């Protein structure tokens, strides 16, 4: 099992789809349902043996939501600034250089 490339609080964007978000949790490998996994078209379905990230995501057309994304489909996104998602303000503090500082009182017990 390899270690995660991205970190809690980091701002990232999807490599293909038009959304960006803040990482709030990391699974060392796929940990969602098989139904969710099979709903992804086979030609773009990611490998399961890589980190998967939980994001407070924002799509300009759809607004805020939560996303579950494979590492291969994420890239850093520090140049576009903060992410305007209501959960980001609850879970994170200061934003600096592409990353939010997690609030210890929120992350101490885990978010799940």
């Amino acid at each position: 099992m390899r270690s995660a490339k991205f970190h809690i609080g980091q701002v990232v964007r999807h490599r293909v789809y038009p959304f960006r978000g803040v990482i709030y949790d990391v699974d060392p490998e796929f940990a969602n349902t098989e139904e969710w996994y099979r709903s992804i078209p086979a030609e773009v379905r990611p490998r399961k043996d890589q980190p998967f990230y939980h994001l407070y995501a924002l799509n300009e057309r759809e607004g805020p939501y939560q996303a579950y994304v494979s590492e291969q489909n994420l890239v850093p996104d520090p140049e576009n600034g903060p992410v305007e998602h209501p959960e980001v303000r609850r879970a994170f503090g200061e934003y600096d250089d592409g990353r939010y500082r997690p609030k210890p009182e929120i992350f101490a017990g885990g978010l799940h």
Side-chain angles (χ1 to χ4, degrees):
M1 189 172 3
R2 64 180 204 220
S3 57
K5 177 179 175 181
F6 303 109
H7 308 284
I8 304 293
Q10 188 171 359
V11 177
V12 293
R13 67 178 171 82
H14 197 280
R15 187 179 299 279
V16 177
Y17 299 110
F19 71 86
R20 47 196 302 268
V22 179
I23 297 169
Y24 69 86
D25 200 4
V26 182
D27 294 333
E29 58 185 29
F30 181 78
N32 206 332
T33 66
E34 197 59 31
E35 179 183 18
W36 182 91
Y37 187 73
R38 290 181 191 198
S39 72
I40 301 168
E43 63 274 5
V44 295
R45 194 175 296 153
R47 296 181 333 273
K48 288 183 176 182
D49 65 342
Q50 64 180 312
F52 275 73
Y53 299 84
H54 299 263
L55 307 177
Y56 293 132
L58 180 65
N59 176 308
E60 295 302 323
R61 298 180 92 187
E62 299 173 26
Y65 61 100
Q66 292 184 33
Y68 190 62
V69 185
S70 64
E71 186 170 272
Q72 74 187 60
N73 285 320
L74 292 176
V75 294
D77 187 33
E79 66 274 359
N80 288 322
V83 174
E84 297 299 323
H85 188 293
E87 292 298 318
V88 169
R89 285 182 236 117
R90 182 188 70 78
F92 296 96
E94 184 179 320
Y95 172 83
D96 184 39
D97 195 29
R99 195 165 189 180
Y100 283 92
R101 185 181 315 267
K103 291 182 179 176
E105 66 272 19
I106 300 296
F107 285 88
L111 286 175
H112 288 345

